[in-house]
């Protein structure tokens, strides 16, 4: 069998709350062309029980339809899930269809099938993947020549992996298939084989120690705290800001409490996504890793950074021409750290309080009373969860993990300093007494990022690390048909879904 054309390779990243995809592996790796929320909707009345008789008067016998959703052993999510055993793939609304139905106020039940870190509902999962492949990427099922690499949550059961393989071959007619765990793709994107990946999601933060290219499944963990908690925390702080509250509830036309709360949460989301938040360190001097990106002029031009260099020079010239009074006022504003944000027709001024956004990650007690708890116990501070997880590894493995602390997730590239802030709070887990140190004891913690030479990912690489890493693996996995890094159609015909276990090296 010949190798696949790189332009036909399909990359799909499946996260807890987001699916990203792109068609083709290019010389300069591209960012995803598809990014949708990993949710589906079902209209009231859709998928109700029927006799399930086909046009020939027979009961359908497709084995995929007869299988029940697999049990989910991972931490339960508070995002909604509405199972409907009679619903079919085509009954579900996905992407723009769902957005339009919700905007029109239709009675739609929304489900997030991947939110647990497993697969809650196979029909819903299939509906999402089908929408991405056939609707968004316009691939035709009959002519499907695309091999697929799918990044998944860590620790999926073998049954789940085999069923996923079955769906892609039997439902989508793919030309080849392989899977890889998201945490591995993220550390690959940072150019590492060992490290600890801290993936901050919407409501859950996943912590995955990796050593020499393998996930240490027995010590990976997660903590039920994430971006949503940070948004609600800062929204509450903004209630003390007169500029914010005047916009949320104008004195001449007061809003009801629910409308005010939603305005505040939406405004907080706008603020952090606009890059206006940074995270202070723990009051300690932290050595920032050396810039591993482009340093010489020739490389600057090749990497397309000349625009940024020119703009920086122009700003310096403009500052030099400003009057002494203007410069003094600029320094005053800089000291106050005030920013004016345009939001829904309002000019809203906020100050340093916006930098408290990430405080709940490091001190969950600030959230009490919390939202309805997912677990019976309060979540640990992020630094403790990471430190205790790595601390369970073998002593001689820890130093390699601490040399690649990679903080990723949707906060990446939006919230400045999150990696260094976590690094500073992890110092208690490193021996500081030189007399107690030996050759296997970790002496420092090093924060890593996606290298700048990935030009397309320069501004958002850490957030898109899983997609980037999946693309890197795809370029290697499908380049040699004899290496058995993927399941081909003949392999599937011969061995069935179990082939995915034998032919995905990352799963061994």
């Amino acid at each position: 069998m010949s190798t696949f054309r790189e332009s036909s390779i399909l990359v799909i990243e499946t996260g807890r709350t987001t699916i990203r995809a792109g068609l083709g592996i290019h010389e300069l790796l591209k960012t995803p062309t598809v990014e949708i929320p990993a949710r589906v909707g079902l209209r009231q009345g859709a998928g109700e029980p029927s006799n399930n008789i086909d046009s020939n008067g027979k009961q359908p016998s497709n084995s995929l339809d007869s299988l029940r959703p697999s049990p989910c052993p991972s931490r339960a999510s508070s995002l909604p899930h509405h199972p409907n055993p009679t619903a079919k793939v085509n009954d579900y609304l996905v992407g723009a269809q769902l957005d339009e139905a919700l905007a029109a106020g239709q009675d739609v039940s929304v489900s997030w099938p991947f939110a647990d870190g497993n697969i809650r509902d196979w029909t819903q999962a299939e509906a999402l993947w089908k929408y991405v492949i056939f609707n968004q990427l316009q691939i035709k099922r009959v002519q499907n020549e695309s091999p697929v690499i799918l990044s998944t949550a860590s620790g999926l059961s073998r049954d789940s992996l085999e069923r996923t393989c079955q769906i892609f071959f039997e439902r989508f007619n793919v030309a080849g298939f392989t899977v890889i765990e998201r945490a591995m793709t993220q550390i690959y994107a940072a150019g590492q084989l060992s490290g600890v990946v801290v993936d901050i999601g919407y409501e859950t933060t996943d912590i995955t120690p990796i050593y020499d290219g393998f996930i240490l499944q027995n010590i990976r963990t997660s903590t039920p705290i994430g971006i949503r908690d940070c948004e609600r925390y800062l929204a509450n702080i903004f209630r003390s800001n007169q500029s914010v509250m005047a916009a949320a509830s104008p004195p001449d036309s007061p809003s009801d409490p629910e409308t005010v709360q939603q305005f505040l949460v939406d405004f907080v989301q706008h603020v952090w996504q606009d890059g206006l938040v940074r995270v202070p360190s723990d009051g300690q001097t932290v050595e920032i890793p050396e810039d591993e990106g482009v340093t010489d002029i020739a490389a600057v031009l090749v990497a397309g950074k000349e625009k940024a260099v020119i703009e920086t020079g122009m700003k310096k010239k403009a500052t030099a021409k400003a009057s002494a009074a203007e410069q003094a006022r600029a320094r005053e504003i800089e000291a106050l750290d005030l920013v004016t944000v345009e939001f829904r027709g309002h000019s809203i001024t906020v100050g340093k309080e916006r930098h408290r956004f990430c405080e709940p990650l490091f001190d969950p007690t600030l959230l009490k009373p919390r939202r309805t708890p997912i677990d019976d116990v309060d979540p640990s501070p992020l630094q403790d969860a990471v430190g205790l997880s790595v601390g369970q590894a073998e002593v001689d493995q820890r130093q390699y993990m601490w040399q690649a602390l990679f903080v990723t997730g949707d906060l990446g590239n939006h919230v400045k300093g999150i990696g260094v802030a976590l690094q500073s709070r992890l110092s208690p887990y490193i021996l500081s007494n030189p007399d107690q140190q030996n050759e296997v004891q970790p002496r420092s913690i090093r924060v890593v990022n996606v290298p700048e030479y990935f030009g397309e990912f320069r501004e958002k690489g850490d957030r898109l690390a899983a997609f980037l890493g999946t693309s890197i693996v795809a370029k290697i996995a499908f380049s040699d048909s004899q290496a058995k890094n993927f399941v081909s159609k003949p392999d599937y015909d011969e061995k069935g879904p179990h082939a995915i276990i034998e032919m995905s090296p990352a799963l061994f």
Side-chain angles (χ1 to χ4, degrees):
M1 187 186 83
S2 59
T3 57
F4 296 103
R5 292 180 294 110
E6 290 192 344
S7 60
S8 71
I9 296 173
L10 176 55
V11 177
I12 303 178
E13 174 208 341
T14 304
R16 289 177 181 264
T17 57
T18 305
I19 293 180
R20 300 182 178 96
L23 180 62
I25 303 296
H26 309 273
E27 195 64 32
L28 291 176
L29 295 176
K30 303 288 187 181
T31 55
T33 56
V34 175
E35 183 169 342
I36 62 169
R39 63 179 185 175
V40 298
L42 191 65
R43 288 192 178 96
Q44 185 69 29
E48 291 185 344
S50 65
N51 292 328
N52 289 332
I53 304 300
D54 63 19
S55 58
N56 296 319
K58 297 180 180 180
Q59 194 81 10
S61 59
N62 191 303
S63 60
L64 286 174
D65 285 333
S66 65
L67 290 172
R68 304 291 296 175
S70 63
C72 177
S74 58
R75 187 185 303 277
S77 166
S78 64
L79 288 173
H81 173 227
H82 302 283
N84 187 323
T86 63
K88 303 301 181 185
V89 170
N90 290 337
D91 293 330
Y92 285 104
L93 304 175
V94 184
Q97 298 171 319
L98 177 54
D99 294 339
E100 291 167 4
L102 293 173
Q106 297 180 18
D107 189 1
V108 177
S109 59
V110 176
S111 294
W112 299 78
F114 304 111
D116 284 345
N118 203 313
I119 300 175
R120 288 166 153 179
D121 188 295
W122 287 99
T123 306
Q124 294 173 2
E126 184 181 336
L128 279 162
W129 290 325
K130 178 182 178 182
Y131 177 82
V132 167
I133 296 172
F134 300 134
N135 183 293
Q136 294 294 286
L137 295 174
Q138 296 293 302
I139 294 173
K140 297 188 182 301
R141 185 187 185 282
V142 176
Q143 303 169 346
N144 192 353
E145 298 179 351
S146 292
V148 173
I149 182 168
L150 177 74
S151 66
T152 65
S154 297
L156 288 186
S157 69
R158 290 195 168 200
D159 287 344
S160 294
L161 292 168
E162 290 181 14
R163 183 161 187 190
T164 302
C165 180
Q166 186 178 9
I167 288 173
F168 273 83
F169 275 106
E170 297 187 15
R171 297 294 208 199
F172 306 149
N173 192 35
V174 298
F177 184 70
T178 190
V179 295
I180 186 168
E181 293 170 295
R182 288 183 76 246
M184 282 305 312
T185 68
Q186 289 164 332
I187 204 71
Y188 286 159
Q192 307 293 322
L193 290 175
S194 298
V196 55
V197 175
V198 181
D199 189 350
I200 303 174
Y202 179 63
E203 63 169 9
T204 305
T205 297
D206 294 311
I207 300 159
T208 310
I210 300 171
Y211 178 70
D212 200 20
F214 290 92
I215 291 175
L216 303 185
Q217 300 284 2
N218 60 320
I219 61 173
R220 66 181 179 85
T221 187
S222 62
T223 181
I225 191 167
I227 295 171
R228 175 168 61 178
D229 299 291
C230 297
E231 289 178 343
R232 294 182 178 181
Y233 175 70
L234 187 56
N236 187 54
I237 290 175
F238 276 159
R239 287 181 177 274
S240 301
N241 184 308
Q242 295 182 358
S243 179
V244 175
M245 292 306 295
S249 183
D252 56 345
S253 179
S255 303
D256 62 85
E258 185 175 338
T259 301
V260 170
Q261 177 63 16
Q262 191 60 54
F263 180 96
L264 291 172
V265 171
D266 291 347
F267 176 65
V268 168
Q269 188 175 85
H270 178 81
V271 167
W272 76 259
Q273 290 184 352
D274 207 30
L276 300 177
V277 170
R278 66 173 184 269
V279 189
S281 66
D282 198 28
Q284 302 176 22
T285 301
V286 179
E287 185 177 347
I288 299 176
E290 293 181 7
D291 182 11
E292 298 178 358
V294 180
T295 55
D296 60 80
I297 297 301
V300 166
L301 295 176
V302 170
K305 291 187 70 175
E306 65 274 15
K307 181 180 177 182
V309 173
I310 293 170
E311 288 178 350
T312 301
M314 292 176 67
K315 287 179 181 178
K316 289 180 179 178
K317 291 180 181 178
T319 303
K321 293 180 180 178
S323 67
E326 289 172 336
Q327 292 184 30
R329 176 57 180 159
R331 286 193 294 271
E332 181 182 348
I333 293 175
E334 184 177 357
L336 292 172
D337 200 4
L338 299 175
V339 295
T340 299
V341 182
E342 299 298 326
F343 183 71
R344 296 182 182 174
H346 301 278
S347 294
I348 305 173
T349 301
V350 295
K352 294 180 179 179
E353 73 268 30
R354 68 187 186 277
H355 301 313
R356 300 184 62 186
F357 176 74
C358 286
E359 286 183 357
L361 295 174
F362 306 118
D363 185 5
T365 61
L366 295 171
L367 295 171
K368 290 185 176 180
R370 297 186 73 236
R371 54 181 163 80
T372 303
I374 300 174
D375 300 292
D376 294 331
V377 296
D378 290 329
S380 301
L382 182 55
Q383 62 273 22
D384 291 347
V386 174
L388 292 172
S389 179
V390 175
Q392 295 178 64
E394 297 294 332
V395 174
D396 59 342
Q397 296 175 342
R398 296 174 199 166
Q399 59 178 324
Y400 298 101
M401 295 176 189
W402 285 131
Q403 285 306 296
L405 171 65
F406 186 35
V407 182
T408 182
D410 286 338
L411 287 184
N413 311 102
H414 291 300
V415 176
K416 304 175 183 70
I418 181 69
V420 172
L422 177 57
Q423 176 196 39
S424 69
R425 290 165 172 82
L426 283 168
S427 57
Y429 293 92
I430 301 296
L431 282 176
S432 57
N433 187 345
D435 296 333
Q436 296 178 344
Q437 291 181 349
N438 55 51
E439 59 185 22
V440 298
Q441 290 287 359
R443 296 173 172 81
S444 63
I445 299 174
R446 175 172 170 261
V447 177
V448 296
N449 304 99
V450 170
E452 284 197 6
Y453 52 70
F454 291 109
E456 291 285 327
F457 292 82
R458 183 172 297 115
E459 300 300 324
K460 45 195 171 183
D462 292 353
R463 184 174 72 88
L464 300 178
F467 185 84
L468 171 59
T470 307
S471 301
I472 293 170
V473 174
K475 196 174 183 71
I476 300 169
F478 294 115
S479 64
D480 183 0
S481 61
Q482 303 304 316
K484 296 301 181 185
N485 291 320
F486 64 92
V487 180
S488 66
K489 278 186 176 179
D491 294 327
Y492 186 80
D493 291 340
E494 178 186 349
K495 301 180 179 180
H498 183 71
I500 192 64
I501 306 300
E502 298 178 22
M503 298 181 180
S504 294
L507 300 179
F508 291 163

